[in-house]
Amino acid sequence: MGVSDLPALNATLNGVATLFLLAGYVFIRQRRISAHRASMLAAVAASALFLMSYVAYHANAGSKPFPGTGPVRAVYFFILVTHIVLAAAIVPMVLMTLSRALKQRFDRHAVIARRTFPLWLYVSVTGVLIYLMLYGP
């Protein structure tokens, strides 16, 4: 696997994180605590692997300019800016949410998880969209 393969890996990891996040949400709604825990830990792992791959790619390849023009360019940059801002914000939120769960402070975990989940889901989904907009299907 070379550096040129990393964007596809990044999108795949974001997609995997999305699936684990959605599964974790369903499991907690069903009160399937151990399945929720496993799904959310898998989402953390997928996101951590994504972050390592993302940093490795950009350290070696830089960034790719968006090739589109017209209204789609504005849409792309809106998605990109919100993705970047929220991606930076969710790192401490995920760590805090995870920490509270691991310390079995489930009352406090649930409070922060209600904020973390939709933002993390947005970042994971928009990560895939950004890849598709930059590199195509």
Side-chain angles (χ1 to χ4, degrees):
M1 174 177 282
V3 171
S4 64
D5 299 314
L6 294 179
L9 175 63
N10 294 342
T12 300
L13 290 168
N14 270 320
V16 167
T18 298
L19 295 175
F20 281 124
L21 287 168
L22 292 171
Y25 178 80
V26 169
F27 290 141
I28 200 62
R29 303 309 292 168
Q30 296 172 343
R31 306 239 185 260
R32 295 175 57 192
I33 305 303
S34 61
H36 168 74
R37 181 184 302 115
S39 292
M40 298 312 290
L41 289 172
V44 169
S47 292
L49 289 171
F50 160 80
L51 185 56
M52 290 186 286
S53 176
Y54 176 86
V55 169
Y57 173 75
H58 286 286
N60 289 289
S63 61
K64 177 178 169 60
F66 181 67
T69 59
V72 71
R73 190 169 180 82
V75 170
Y76 170 79
F77 281 108
F78 174 80
I79 293 170
L80 180 65
V81 168
T82 58
H83 173 83
I84 290 169
V85 169
L86 292 175
I90 67 161
V91 172
M93 292 175 74
V94 167
L95 294 174
M96 186 182 306
T97 305
L98 179 62
S99 172
R100 289 176 180 182
L102 294 174
K103 292 177 184 175
Q104 298 183 356
R105 296 293 315 268
F106 300 120
D107 55 331
R108 297 182 73 207
H109 165 77
V111 170
I112 189 74
R114 284 186 188 100
R115 292 174 178 84
T116 305
F117 172 76
L119 299 178
W120 191 2
L121 187 61
Y122 178 85
V123 168
S124 295
V125 169
T126 56
V128 175
L129 290 176
I130 290 166
Y131 168 79
L132 292 171
M133 293 177 87
L134 280 177
Y135 298 96

